Amino acid sequence: MIHKWQKTRLQVKGLNQLRLINFLKSEGLVFFELYFLDNANLQLTVHNKNLVKLKAILERYQYEYKVVFVDLARFCIQCIKRRIGALVGCVFFLSVILSSNLFVWDIKIGGLDKVPQNMVQNILKQNGVHKGMLASRVKQNEIKKQMMSLESVVDTTLHMQGTTLRVQVFEDLFG
């Protein structure tokens, strides 16, 4: 049984089409789905193992041909086999890019008027927050509790924006 992905359909242009078909049969080429489109054009489907031999015969007898259908899966598999290094490189590159968003690469602290920045940085260090750590390991609740214990701090938000951890401190400016 010949699967669809093992066949290629060609359109052949030239005179003496019946003579060409008889010659291909005598050469042992198996083809199917033979259609006569007009006086000078025919379309046939050939098994891929005979494709090289068919193209050589058509070129030798100066027939024009063009590939009408090649299964995409077969084509992709051949491309991957030829370019396995590029495929491995692309997979590695994408995995690095996608996994880099899982880490904290920058820390921005905002909203400080009364509270010194080094106090906020010390609280972050005490909780293990540093550049290069996994973003999921940031202990937001503990950091918020410690920030709220500082004088004049009303609220604190921590959120990831890309690869940046943004710490926003809201202070009681009137108290």
Side-chain angles (χ1 to χ4, degrees):
M1 179 174 174
I2 297 174
H3 298 286
K4 188 174 185 174
W5 56 270
Q6 295 175 322
K7 300 185 292 186
T8 302
R9 188 175 305 137
L10 290 142
Q11 184 172 342
V12 180
K13 182 177 182 180
L15 299 176
N16 297 325
Q17 295 173 352
L18 292 174
R19 188 173 178 187
L20 173 67
I21 292 169
N22 289 332
F23 182 73
L24 294 176
K25 283 285 190 185
S26 70
E27 290 289 317
L29 282 165
V30 177
F31 53 89
F32 17 78
E33 298 177 12
L34 178 65
Y35 301 106
F36 291 95
L37 303 175
D38 57 33
N39 290 339
N41 292 304
L42 68 98
Q43 197 173 72
L44 59 101
T45 304
V46 67
H47 193 273
N48 287 339
K49 67 180 181 181
N50 294 329
L51 186 61
V52 175
K53 188 175 180 181
L54 174 64
K55 285 182 177 181
I57 291 170
L58 293 174
E59 288 171 0
R60 184 174 5 141
Y61 293 104
Q62 299 176 350
Y63 280 91
E64 294 178 25
Y65 66 90
K66 69 178 179 180
V67 176
V68 177
F69 172 78
V70 176
D71 187 51
L72 185 61
R74 182 182 147 266
F75 178 74
C76 290
I77 289 169
Q78 286 179 347
C79 287
I80 288 170
K81 284 181 181 177
R82 281 185 270 157
R83 295 174 182 93
I84 193 75
L87 177 68
V88 170
C90 288
V91 169
F92 178 74
F93 176 74
L94 288 174
S95 64
V96 167
I97 293 297
L98 293 175
S99 66
S100 70
N101 285 339
L102 301 174
F103 295 92
V104 175
W105 294 114
D106 193 18
I107 300 170
K108 300 272 184 187
I109 302 170
L112 299 176
D113 286 328
K114 294 181 181 177
V115 179
Q117 186 167 353
N118 62 358
M119 288 181 74
V120 175
Q121 288 174 340
N122 288 338
I123 291 173
L124 293 173
K125 283 181 186 175
Q126 288 171 3
N127 287 290
V129 176
H130 57 85
K131 292 179 182 178
M133 74 174 291
L134 276 171
S136 62
R137 294 199 178 170
V138 175
K139 304 171 191 168
Q140 291 187 16
N141 292 334
E142 290 186 30
I143 294 170
K144 283 184 179 184
K145 285 179 187 175
Q146 289 182 7
M147 293 283 203
M148 295 297 284
S149 67
L150 294 175
E151 189 179 327
S152 77
V153 174
V154 177
D155 194 15
T156 304
T157 60
L158 286 95
H159 68 278
M160 287 295 294
Q161 186 176 7
T163 59
T164 303
L165 174 65
R166 295 206 178 268
V167 180
Q168 187 69 34
V169 180
F170 297 98
E171 298 175 312
D172 183 15
L173 297 176
F174 301 109

